[in-house]
Amino acid sequence: MELDLSGYDIKISDDMNTWEEVNLLYNAALKQIQTKIEILNDEFQEVHRYNPIEHVKYRVKGPESIVKKLKRNGYESTIINMVKYVNDIAGIRIICSFTSDIYQIADMLRKQSDIKVLSTKDYIETPKQSGYKSYHMLVSVPIYLSDSVVETKVEIQIRTIAMDFWASLEHKMNYKFESDAPEEIKKELFECAVMVEQLDDRMLIINDKIQRSKKEEAIWKID
Ligand code: GTP
Ligand code: MG
């Protein structure tokens, strides 16, 4: 992906990487983790006959929103500051069916020896005030270049389909009203967040029942 930063007032000194080099690293990190996720999903399918992952989205943050975020946090727009302070330049969103899948996927990723978990935020255990729920992991993966190895950060968000549905509508609201969303809509969304939680819980219970009856059926067949 080629990006022209000439319009964005980003200062690049001689000893720093260029945006093209940085961008290459983040894309490489996304590819690495993409492969890992695919392998885990294939293995899970093979062993448990079940796909924990519904779908996965990948994105590299655009220069405009990187600069905006740096400004918001009071940093100058330099490549060094980008790499140091913007943790979600490379972002992955893993969408699962059930809440239990989320923790299983997080654990499987955590166990990989080349993935370093820099921080986690469990907004399922402790949802945000808005009602937002999701499991966040900030990780780094080593990227092997011709003459060096660079640890590159990736933000991974793991959530259920229902949590994702909620988050995208809430995001739309925030985008539309900026920080000035009507209380009424916020309240309604919060109520929906409670419903999302109830739905996720019930779907998990139903799935367990289905799995259990499948097993019993298998036992009867053996007998
Ligand atoms: P950012 O500066 O937004 O990156 O927040 P942060 O550094 O405190 O990280 P956090 O883990 O709280 O949030 C990172 C990302 O999670 C955001 O960029 C959103 O994609 C998502 N997110 C966090 N809170 C909310 C929320 O209330 N609503 C929605 N829709 N998404 C959220
Ligand atoms: Mg963010």
Side-chain angles (χ1 to χ4, degrees):
M1 189 164 58
E2 279 283 309
L3 283 168
D4 178 14
L5 285 184
S6 48
Y8 293 111
D9 188 29
I10 291 180
K11 298 186 189 82
I12 301 168
S13 72
D14 293 344
D15 56 340
M16 281 184 221
N17 293 310
T18 64
W19 167 249
E20 279 72 24
E21 281 175 301
V22 171
N23 195 45
L24 181 140
L25 283 174
Y26 287 109
N27 273 298
L30 285 185
K31 278 187 203 160
Q32 286 256 12
I33 302 204
Q34 176 169 16
T35 307
K36 287 175 180 298
I37 292 170
E38 280 169 10
I39 294 171
L40 288 176
N41 206 33
D42 290 349
E43 187 211 20
F44 215 87
Q45 169 69 35
E46 199 51 43
V47 176
H48 303 283
R49 301 270 156 224
Y50 155 72
N51 260 337
I53 297 170
E54 277 294 325
H55 62 273
V56 187
K57 290 180 198 157
Y58 305 87
R59 70 105 179 84
V60 174
K61 207 180 185 81
E64 207 173 334
S65 28
I66 294 175
V67 168
K68 233 166 125 186
K69 193 162 190 175
L70 281 174
K71 270 204 186 127
R72 198 169 60 229
N73 294 315
Y75 297 113
E76 242 192 306
S77 299
T78 63
I79 294 286
I80 282 199
N81 283 349
M82 267 184 182
V83 173
K84 208 167 162 186
Y85 299 115
V86 184
N87 290 330
D88 62 344
I89 295 182
I92 297 185
R93 190 169 287 158
I94 305 175
I95 317 295
C96 314
S97 300
F98 306 106
T99 314
S100 52
D101 297 332
I102 296 175
Y103 293 103
Q104 230 159 358
I105 291 161
D107 274 347
M108 291 192 291
L109 288 170
R110 212 190 315 273
K111 278 186 197 140
Q112 307 220 348
S113 56
D114 54 346
I115 291 187
K116 270 193 208 132
V117 180
L118 305 175
S119 66
T120 56
K121 288 180 192 167
D122 189 346
Y123 295 128
I124 298 168
E125 188 71 35
T126 318
K128 284 206 164 180
Q129 227 180 350
S130 59
Y132 176 76
K133 286 176 63 175
S134 199
Y135 189 85
H136 292 191
M137 283 171 106
L138 179 64
V139 305
S140 73
V141 274
I143 300 301
Y144 289 82
L145 300 176
S146 55
D147 58 354
S148 60
V149 183
V150 187
E151 286 289 335
T152 306
K153 286 186 278 190
V154 178
E155 185 188 83
I156 307 176
Q157 302 179 346
I158 318 176
R159 50 171 84 145
T160 63
I161 303 169
M163 291 173 196
D164 191 50
F165 185 32
W166 184 93
S168 50
L169 188 58
E170 203 256 357
H171 178 76
K172 228 184 261 173
M173 174 194 73
N174 286 325
Y175 189 80
K176 177 99 182 157
F177 295 104
E178 292 177 355
S179 57
D180 217 24
E183 284 307 316
E184 179 59 29
I185 299 183
K186 283 204 254 180
K187 186 170 158 269
E188 230 176 314
L189 272 168
F190 186 81
E191 286 165 11
C192 286
V194 175
M195 287 165 73
V196 162
E197 185 163 346
Q198 291 166 345
L199 180 64
D200 274 339
D201 288 348
R202 289 184 72 173
M203 296 294 255
L204 182 62
I205 291 168
I206 296 169
N207 186 55
D208 283 346
K209 276 186 194 160
I210 296 171
Q211 296 302 324
R212 259 204 310 275
S213 61
K214 257 193 185 167
K215 263 189 208 140
E216 275 162 22
E217 221 174 87
I219 291 168
W220 278 108
K221 272 186 189 147
I222 291 166
D223 285 351

